[in-house]
Amino acid sequence: MKHVAAALLAATSLLAVGSASALEIKSSDVHAMGYPTTDAIAAMGECLSEKTDGDMTINIFHSMQLGGEKEALEQVQLGALEMTRVSVGVVGPIVDDFNAFNLPYVFRSIEHSHHVVDGPIGQDLLARLESGGLIGLGFMDAGARSFYNKERPIEKPEDLQGLKVRVMQNPIFIDMMSAMGGNGIPIAFNELYTALQTGVVDGAENNPPSYLTQNHYEQAGYYSLTEHLIVPEIFVFSKKVWDGLDESQQTAIRECSKVATEKERELWQKMEQEAMAKLEEMGVKINEVDKAPFIEITAPVREKFGEKYAEILGKIEAVE
Ligand code: GTR
């Protein structure tokens, strides 16, 4: 996979040599085109191309062509890749305070998460990514994540006992699973379908659009609406490349980033509804969940990290 990725990047870099100020921004995403995140980055590309008379364009490497999200972030930090769209779930290891977003039941609702990421908390976190070699361009929606597995509906935390549940590659999610009684196993998104198929894990957790479009429902047909995490998406630019751009290019990227965020939120709502309908149609066994016991059982995780993230957690809670 690494060789294929390197060859692809090298080939497109050659193609990108054009007029002196021309810049082809390569951007990766684990999702296919037609997903809200990829289509939003495509809209950003159109915006950039219009603004710069075609000098700046975005070439999207979708569908995990460049591998998983951790590697993508590394490539962007190195400047080998200009941009990537990933989950905030994998950004915690770069700027620790992002992990406040990765704690279970921290956001009261999607609206609450919007108010947080659109306000000073979100903007400050984006700015702090510079220390990790990244320029934070914006957030996107990813709804709420719920459990799915092969064995049974999850109605109460005890139902998770004995299940091997794939989590994103960030140790904080292993703690979350332990608190709930399950066994959290970090695996890259691009390796998850096979892990479900071969029984390396019994289940995973994600929002309805990802569960559907990755065909995970074929392997794990119980979907239980625990909505335990609201983890936003984020798109970031390489600081190495950014520092070589002129101000007008940076301004154009900033302005078109807003187009991407807005577009994604609009597409997300529609996609989420459609995904739920489609999952039902495919015979997935979906169950509603009383969230109170899940909130209660995950309190120790919020307490464990509470001190570390006290300042930002306090600010998040104070947001309406
Ligand atoms: C999806 C998200 C991806 C990826 C994936 C995962 O909801 O859009 O960026 O993080 O979840 O679970 O790894």
Side-chain angles (χ1 to χ4, degrees), residues 229-299:
L229 284 173
I230 293 180
V231 178
E233 315 279 25
I234 186 169
F235 54 115
V236 295
F237 204 89
S238 170
K239 179 164 157 47
K240 264 210 168 134
V241 180
W242 184 264
D243 289 344
L245 300 181
D246 62 40
E247 222 182 297
S248 69
Q249 287 175 308
Q250 294 178 349
T251 307
I253 294 173
R254 289 270 186 215
E255 285 173 6
C256 292
S257 294
K258 293 201 187 95
V259 171
T261 294
E262 276 163 30
K263 179 85 186 164
E264 203 269 351
R265 282 187 182 167
E266 183 191 309
L267 294 173
W268 180 261
Q269 286 226 333
K270 202 166 152 260
M271 177 78 170
E272 206 168 34
Q273 282 165 11
E274 283 172 9
M276 281 302 279
K278 190 82 205 263
L279 288 167
E280 268 173 42
E281 197 183 305
M282 304 306 279
V284 170
K285 295 175 198 72
I286 302 173
N287 66 290
E288 295 281 341
V289 173
D290 170 16
K291 288 184 207 153
F294 288 89
I295 297 175
E296 201 184 310
I297 206 159
T298 51

Side-chain angles (χ1 to χ4, degrees), residues 110-178:
I110 300 292
E111 292 70 46
H112 182 212
S113 79
H114 282 174
H115 295 160
V116 171
V117 301
D118 293 344
I121 304 174
Q123 299 314 303
D124 173 57
L125 282 174
L126 288 180
R128 281 163 61 194
L129 280 168
E130 267 203 65
S131 63
L134 302 171
I135 300 294
L137 293 180
F139 292 100
M140 293 179 181
D141 269 3
R145 297 172 74 99
S146 292
F147 289 112
Y148 50 91
N149 80 97
K150 293 168 185 280
E151 304 293 334
R152 52 185 175 261
I154 306 301
E155 281 158 351
K156 44 191 188 319
E158 298 86 85
D159 296 329
L160 283 164
Q161 262 168 32
L163 289 184
K164 289 175 285 177
V165 179
R166 176 269 174 176
V167 291
M168 285 184 276
Q169 291 167 294
N170 179 341
I172 202 162
F173 299 122
I174 302 176
D175 279 328
M176 177 188 78
M177 284 314 302
S178 308

Side-chain angles (χ1 to χ4, degrees), residues 88-100:
V88 162
V90 291
V91 177
I94 298 176
V95 170
D96 197 23
D97 267 356
F98 269 101
N99 272 331

Side-chain angles (χ1 to χ4, degrees), residues 10-11 15 23 33-34 41 45 54 57 80 84 157 180 232 278 285-286 288 304-305 308 310 314:
L15 290 175
L23 173 68
M33 295 312 294
I41 296 295
T57 51
T84 188
M180 293 200 213
K278 190 82 205 263
K285 295 175 198 72
I286 302 173
E288 295 281 341
K304 173 171 172 191
F305 293 99
K308 197 166 168 205

Side-chain angles (χ1 to χ4, degrees), residues 30-31 69 85 87 145 166 168 189 206-207 210 233:
V30 292
H31 295 297
E69 299 193 328
R85 194 291 312 159
S87 167
R145 297 172 74 99
R166 176 269 174 176
M168 285 184 276
F189 196 48
N206 219 316
N207 51 49
S210 284
E233 315 279 25

